[in-house]
Amino acid sequence: ETVRAAVADGLANAKSYRAAAKVIRSSVGLGPSQLAEVQNYRAKLERAHEKLDALDNKLRDKRFDSVIRKARASGKPIPAERIDKMVDAYRKRRIAQHASTVAGTAAKDAQKLANRLAWQNALDTGAVEPGSLVRTWRGVMDERERPEHVAMEGDTVPFDQPHRNGGQAHGAGRSGGVEVRHYAAVVSQAFGSAPATPAACPAPVQSAPAVPA
């Protein structure tokens, strides 16, 4: 509910998702895997007199780097109270990062839904002809892209039909999505209700940002 309210306020008042993240940060916590990251950082600090792997953590407070290096050089463990402060600083940074991710994901999903509803409204009010919209699956195509989503790249179907995998949209929160294209009425009539393929589609006469269905 906090995330929803913060994102809604941001969209209504033209604020960035970072502004929403500041609101979310005060109430969002860390999941099990994220808490494990914090504990792993503590473990690294506790053995800093033996190795410097704590310096590999990108979210560490670099103001404490000298403490880590001193421990390694002297071979003496970092005092427990100092470790507590260093871990607390790391945890706060991890929470801030998590809040930013949550806010960014929610904002993108809200914007995609708004675009989707705008096209639907255009159909409902007769602004565009029924059958003149098609949806094309577009992924980010980076190292995180699932194999099944890579296989779906370019899959094009009528606006109101699911993709061939039965899905309606690309993964939530990702910058990819479903591209909606509007074709001239004569083209729509030629396609009828059958799914169009990327090769069969002529150049669009109007386009919109990628949105989920």
Side-chain angles (χ1 to χ4, degrees):
E1 189 63 32
T2 299
V3 174
R4 181 183 303 172
V7 171
D9 177 70
L11 293 175
N13 296 288
K15 298 177 182 178
S16 71
Y17 75 88
R18 292 182 177 84
K22 291 182 180 180
V23 177
I24 297 171
R25 190 180 305 169
S26 62
S27 59
V28 72
L30 296 177
S33 63
Q34 296 152 346
L35 288 173
E37 290 177 20
V38 175
Q39 292 305 313
N40 288 338
Y41 181 63
R42 176 182 291 277
K44 290 180 179 180
L45 293 176
E46 291 174 344
R47 62 172 182 263
H49 59 293
E50 299 175 346
K51 55 193 310 184
L52 294 174
D53 54 347
L55 296 177
D56 296 334
N57 289 65
K58 295 181 179 180
L59 290 179
R60 72 185 189 282
D61 189 331
K62 294 183 179 180
R63 293 176 297 179
F64 292 113
D65 283 5
S66 60
V67 176
I68 298 173
R69 290 193 173 93
K70 183 179 179 180
R72 182 66 185 94
S74 66
K76 296 180 180 180
I78 300 174
E81 61 274 13
R82 178 59 67 88
I83 288 179
D84 288 342
K85 291 181 180 180
M86 297 167 74
V87 171
D88 186 57
Y90 182 84
R91 180 182 59 80
K92 289 178 179 178
R93 287 173 176 239
R94 191 64 184 85
I95 289 176
Q97 183 192 57
H98 182 48
S100 180
T101 300
V102 169
T105 298
K108 288 176 183 177
D109 287 346
Q111 290 170 345
K112 290 177 181 179
L113 177 60
N115 286 334
R116 159 72 180 175
L117 294 177
W119 278 114
Q120 186 61 58
N121 182 65
L123 284 172
D124 294 342
T125 58
V128 297
E129 292 290 331
S132 66
L133 296 181
V134 295
R135 298 184 296 112
T136 299
W137 189 287
R138 298 298 184 197
V140 182
M141 304 304 286
D142 60 11
E143 69 281 354
R144 296 180 298 167
E145 199 76 31
R146 297 177 183 176
E148 57 267 32
H149 287 176
V150 172
M152 287 294 298
E153 185 67 13
D155 185 58
T156 300
V157 296
F159 182 75
D160 59 351
Q161 298 296 317
H163 286 279
R164 64 171 182 262
N165 66 348
Q168 291 288 339
H170 191 270
R174 300 276 275 150
S175 57
V178 175
E179 176 187 21
V180 177
R181 291 178 289 174
H182 175 210
Y183 294 90
V186 63
V187 174
S188 303
Q189 293 168 4
F191 284 148
S193 60
T197 62
C201 293
V205 296
Q206 184 176 342
S207 62
V211 297

